[in-house]
Amino acid sequence: MSCATPAAGWCVDEATRRAAIEAYDLDSLRDGAALRQITDFAAALCGTPVALVSLVEEHEQVFLARTGLTLTETPREMSFCQHAMLQPDIMVVPDATQDPRFIDNALVTGDLHLRFYAGAPLVSDDGVPLGSLCVIDTIPRRGLTALQRQGLRVLADNVMARLRDSRDAAAWRATERATRRQLTDSEDRFRTLADTMPQMVWSTLPDGYHDYYNARWYEFTGTPPGSTDGEGWNDVFHPDDQARAWAVWRQSLASGDPYQIEYRLRHFDGTYRWVLGRALPIRDAAGQVTRWFGTCTDIHEQKLALHERELISQELSHRIKNIFAVISGLISFAARSKPGFAPIAADLRERITALGRAHDFVRPHSPQSRPNAQQDSLHGLLGELFEPYRRDDAPPIRITGDEIAIDDRSATPLALLFHELATNATKYGALGTDAGTVEVSIRRGADTAELCWTERGGPEVTPPTGADGFGSQLIELSAVRQLGGSIRRDWQPEGLVMTVTVPLAAFRRD
């Protein structure tokens, strides 16, 4: 006799488990629409990217249905479900990296990056543990709400109903009668569950005809039951959002893609509140959409907070820009009284302008003010810094290689570093001629990144002699002291090649 996980305190005959699993017609259930609807709903209910129906066999666990995962099975020794199926209720692992049972598990340390797990046991009528209906996330979580626990139990019951439906033809009539009772009970429980959810829940026919809303929808909108069926739902949208919402909904109906949009919905008090609308298609075995299942979540307070944050961010940015302007003005004032200071003043103003461009690139933005480039992109920051050097819409500085994520801490020394290189190249190197070019290549390693500045097509270069100037000292300050890197210069006749090696940890706090 072979035993299942001994931590449960009792032993299961694996031969008995194997016989129980073989009694089901698994081929008729594998990747079918019936179980896929359950995993889709479980993922939506619990807000996780992955949901699975897992049967734990003798040497592997097999996924009869899966949402958000391409794997169809894993070795049993990796299985979280072999523990969950032996529990009397839902097993929750808030953070697998803190659980001695799973800290070295390949699903935790490998590409799947599993952190949060919750599994409802799947147990046959005669008490044989079969597997689990589970939800998985790649980030730790506190656990499940009481409503999510109830929903997961209800859905696990539905999984077992589907398994029972696959029994052999000899018991088909009795199974069919039991299934009808179970489906009726399941529908009643679903409606009860949907009516107690904090979100507004709705569903439609394949053509988009709305035929179901939960109680929360009618409480929020104050509309009479049935008045928003069909196309009546659009009447409670803000007039400015109706055309956009219709366009996005029609696109999802035509393509079968998930539906997601933010819009303003009329509240029962007559005001309009921002909500997030989402929907997923439910498909049959042939891949045809049989229903759409959706939710509306009130996000009005978050939208107001985001708007307030944007106003504060813009005001703070405006004041920082004023500080840059004041400093530039003071430098200009000093240069007017001391003409000999003018060249140095010009250099300082250019450096301050470069810092201002770096600040404006990484500061918090609204969707309207956000730069075209991704804000945590090193390529994007360099492109913003080199924009003033563009010639007739042709950039003489080309950025190639790997992308690296940055933050506001590293943006300042990076801006100073590459501003000095570009300024020196304009005065003495490749950017001082019409034919000159510069390539900035980025190569990401395991722990460090190499940023290589290569000039070509400029005047012949000879290594400088004497003490380093202020610009060279500023490069040293930015690359070595602030970023913790190292510098290697190669004074080739056709142009300077400088390689800056920086630890990856210096680019971003996390």
Side-chain angles (χ1 to χ4, degrees), residues 496-510:
L496 168 67
V497 177
M498 192 175 87
T499 303
V500 181
T501 303
V502 179
L504 288 176
F507 288 99
R508 193 173 178 90
R509 290 179 180 85
D510 57 1

Side-chain angles (χ1 to χ4, degrees), residues 62 82 141 178 225 233 237 264 280 347 478:
V62 179
Q82 68 174 328
R141 294 173 49 162
W233 59 273
F237 283 26
R264 287 161 290 182
L280 290 173
D347 285 346
S478 301

Side-chain angles (χ1 to χ4, degrees), residues 22-161:
E22 289 175 352
Y24 302 106
D25 184 7
L26 300 184
D27 289 338
S28 68
L29 294 173
R30 197 183 312 273
D31 295 330
L35 292 184
R36 177 59 186 270
Q37 290 176 11
I38 292 175
T39 58
D40 285 346
F41 189 30
L45 174 67
C46 298
T48 60
V50 177
L52 305 169
V53 172
S54 171
L55 287 190
V56 180
E57 299 185 350
E58 190 168 0
H59 300 294
E60 60 270 335
Q61 64 173 349
V62 179
F63 305 138
L64 293 185
R66 58 198 190 279
T67 296
L69 188 69
T70 57
L71 293 175
T72 58
E73 63 182 38
T74 66
R76 178 168 173 171
E77 58 264 29
M78 297 182 183
S79 173
F80 283 50
C81 296
Q82 68 174 328
H83 299 272
M85 70 180 184
L86 301 179
Q87 304 303 315
D89 199 357
I90 295 172
M91 182 183 87
V92 177
V93 180
D95 186 352
T97 64
Q98 305 301 313
D99 193 314
R101 295 173 296 176
F102 310 117
I103 191 171
D104 295 323
N105 191 298
L107 300 178
V108 177
T109 60
D111 293 339
L112 187 58
H113 201 66
L114 190 154
R115 291 295 179 268
F116 172 77
Y117 171 95
L122 301 177
V123 181
S124 70
D125 293 339
D126 50 357
V128 178
L130 306 174
S132 170
L133 168 65
C134 65
V135 293
I136 294 171
D137 207 339
T138 57
I139 57 176
R141 294 173 49 162
R142 292 183 180 179
L144 298 176
T145 66
L147 177 63
Q148 289 168 338
R149 282 179 172 272
Q150 178 189 359
L152 213 55
R153 294 187 194 102
V154 170
L155 294 173
D157 289 344
N158 276 268
V159 171
M160 290 308 305

